[in-house]
Amino acid sequence: MTAAAPASAAGTPAAARRRRPPRWAGVAVATGAGRMLAARGELVMGMAIQVLIVSAVSALWRVAVEANGGLLDGYDARSLTWYIAVSEAVYMAVSSRIIEEIGADIATGAVASEMLRPAPVIGVRLATQFGATLPRAVANLTAGCGVALVTVGAPPSWGALLLALPAIPLGAACNLVAAHAFAGAAFWLRDAGSAWFLYQKLIFIFGGMLLPLQVLPGPMRAVAFGLPLMTMAYVPARLASGHVEPFLLLVQAGWLVVLTVLAAAVFRAGERRLQTVGG
């Protein structure tokens, strides 16, 4: 009788997750990318929105730069245009409603059913959604960088732009993981709407989506540089704007590890709660 318990435990989904190699990760990424590539209308609409936003916001910044003597906190008109093109592309590569969608899945029991699979719930979800961000990012960058090329010409530094290439998927990954950590509140609150609202506003201000962090007032700038939100839009945009700062990639990688641990801990605690009190 005593030998039966370990054998039974070894057959649980959780045990299978631990011993099975993460082959599901590549499959999940490919699945997410394939679904998004099939949604051509969504990609085209995203590109159109990207053209409108980059055109409008970058034009406003160019006016501000000209009014400031041609330079604003280390950015000129060309670098700010490239900054906006990349920051918007990276931010919009991740679904803006992702936190609400995760919250709805938690509330309706979809996450509870996913716990029966021999793979971690958050791992599969992150891999699938990361796969979906890749086609969005490529489409958005094509549109945004096209606007920048037409309006201000080539990027300020091709070397810095090359550094931005790995920073773009890293920024999207940080955004996805942080969104899951925020959405995990739905395990207890059953409503992720307030978490979604707060998260969006934080990225707008402290993530560098609409403006470089250098233009923020001193105390706000200090707070922004101390938060992981700066890895999501600011870092890839800062590099694309001509600033050769490779250490920013290390900052992104470090925060990605921290955020992943946090999101996994939140989901583990939430899953235990579902097992205890039911979905």
Side-chain angles (χ1 to χ4, degrees):
M1 296 297 292
T2 56
S8 176
T12 63
R17 297 175 197 174
R18 289 193 295 269
R19 68 173 181 267
R20 179 172 296 186
R23 288 173 294 184
W24 49 262
V27 175
V29 170
T31 299
R35 289 174 181 170
M36 184 50 56
L37 287 171
R40 296 185 182 87
E42 182 177 343
L43 290 176
V44 171
M45 180 61 67
M47 292 177 71
I49 294 173
Q50 188 76 7
V51 168
L52 292 174
I53 293 177
V54 173
S55 299
V57 176
S58 63
L60 291 174
W61 275 117
R62 288 195 295 274
V63 171
V65 169
E66 292 173 5
N68 201 57
L71 199 64
L72 183 63
D73 290 305
Y75 295 87
D76 59 17
R78 181 167 61 153
S79 62
L80 271 173
T81 299
W82 278 93
Y83 181 98
I84 294 300
V86 173
S87 69
E88 291 290 338
V90 178
Y91 171 75
M92 292 177 62
V94 178
S95 171
S96 61
R97 314 296 294 189
I98 187 170
I99 292 179
E100 285 191 317
E101 292 167 359
I102 297 169
D105 287 344
I106 293 172
T108 59
V111 168
S113 64
E114 291 173 16
M115 290 167 58
L116 301 175
R117 299 174 183 173
V121 172
I122 189 170
V124 174
R125 282 178 164 263
L126 284 173
T128 304
Q129 289 159 6
F130 181 72
T133 67
L134 297 178
R136 285 199 202 103
V138 171
N140 292 345
L141 285 167
T142 301
C145 292
V147 172
L149 284 170
V150 170
T151 54
V152 297
S157 167
W158 288 104
L161 189 62
L162 286 176
L163 282 176
L165 293 181
I168 289 167
L170 278 172
C174 287
N175 192 350
L176 280 172
V177 177
H180 278 73
F182 262 74
F187 282 111
W188 293 268
L189 303 178
R190 297 294 180 179
D191 179 14
S194 56
W196 169 81
F197 181 82
L198 174 62
Y199 185 75
Q200 295 298 313
K201 299 306 176 283
L202 287 174
I203 292 185
F204 288 168
I205 300 172
F206 296 109
M209 187 194 75
L210 293 175
L211 70 169
L213 300 184
Q214 283 77 13
V215 307
L216 293 174
M220 291 183 66
R221 183 167 62 247
V223 170
F225 279 116
L227 294 175
L229 298 171
M230 54 91 72
T231 64
M232 301 171 191
Y234 168 78
V235 169
R238 171 77 173 176
L239 294 170
S241 67
H243 298 85
V244 183
E245 298 171 347
F247 72 91
L248 290 175
L249 296 174
L250 296 178
V251 174
Q252 281 185 303
W255 272 119
L256 180 58
V257 172
V258 172
L259 290 169
T260 300
V261 171
L262 175 62
V266 169
F267 263 69
R268 279 197 301 270
E271 289 173 21
R272 285 196 298 269
R273 184 176 187 278
L274 288 181
Q275 291 170 341
T276 301
V277 303

